[in-house]
Amino acid sequence: WGGPWLVRSRRLAAADDDGCPRERSEVFDAVLVCNGHFAEPRLPEVEGLAQHFQGAVHHSADYERVKPLLRRRRGVLVVGTKSSGTDIARELLEAFEEVPAGEEETGEAEGMVYVSDRNLPPQDPASPGVPAPRARLALLPALARALPGGDLQFRGGAVLPRGAVQHVVFCTGFRYALRFLRAAEEVRLEDGRRVRGLLRQLLSARAPSLALLGLPFSVVPLPLCALQARYLARLFRGGAAPLPALAERLRQSEEEERARPPGDNYFHYLGGEQQFYYMRALLRDAAAAGARETEKQQQEEEAWLVALQRVYEDNQRCRPAFPGAPDDYRRRRYRVDWQSGAFEALAAEQC
């Protein structure tokens, strides 16, 4: 099982003298790493961008700080169309479309939102951008490079000329950061994208008294993390299905890694229905064999998970593939029977 674990901690902010030491060392039987994974932005390397692009480059993590600059109806390129990219593009579009009276005539209302995504097809270089449902929006394929002189080129050859874009906002996720963890044999962090040596994307296979919560992404995070925490609580108090021996844990960990989707960006991806398979596996493993009250609780949790998945799938069905299309799905509200899994969409908007 690994451990015991020596944990050294340091108080980062000076506080009143309360008698507590500024640094301390403590020993624990188990360690749960719950530090969150949205602190270190991941900025992809784009050929020539640092050398030739004459505007400003941001990450979605900086959005609240730089939003006043972006909303000045200038050209903004949003790279990525996951949750952050969609939200930022929508907010900027709404700001650009609220043009004060008279600005159209003075020529000051030139705001344009360009959205780049690798899932969009390459375009004819002579006609960059696919048809978009709103006048101040253009959809483009993946950003390929910045050319000498400042033009931005996209996959397939489409080009935005210098000056069309003053700000680039990368909505490209975050890197995992575990600098405080001195357990290189127990888990291995590679390139900030992959945490290897895990069982069930949660436990160190070598030392399962070390757990890292919240690694999967493109998920409904709160239910998933809650089930991870519930499973660990039952495991550590002896109420969950026992773990196999070390050799079998290592074999299962390697098998899980081989089953991951291809590409470094998808090592911890559990989008769509995969997250529900994963959560159901946690529920099964957390069940204590022969405990009647636990069986009843597991049945209630399974019904809750069924209802959650149905609401999620309904909401995803209503969600547009790219920014600019109607996003009435945001205003959908539900009445849910958590025991039967039945639900009713209360909002008037139809998908």
Side-chain angles (χ1 to χ4, degrees), residues 184-195:
E185 294 185 0
E186 285 74 17
V187 295
R188 305 183 304 280
L189 176 62
E190 297 180 356
D191 193 31
R193 300 184 185 184
R194 302 169 295 277
V195 182

Side-chain angles (χ1 to χ4, degrees), residues 83-160:
S83 298
S84 294
T86 300
D87 288 347
I88 289 173
R90 176 179 51 83
E91 283 197 12
L92 293 176
L93 276 170
E94 291 174 354
F96 291 174
E97 289 171 348
E98 294 176 359
V99 180
E103 285 198 4
E104 290 289 359
E105 289 75 14
T106 61
E108 297 177 8
E110 300 175 352
M112 191 74 184
V113 178
Y114 303 93
V115 175
S116 167
D117 189 87
R118 61 188 174 187
N119 293 319
L120 283 164
Q123 301 301 312
D124 181 353
S127 179
V130 300
R134 293 159 80 165
R136 295 186 180 275
L137 172 69
L139 304 178
L140 294 156
L143 177 62
R145 62 187 59 84
L147 302 174
D151 294 353
L152 296 178
Q153 188 176 53
F154 298 81
R155 182 165 54 94
V159 171
L160 287 177

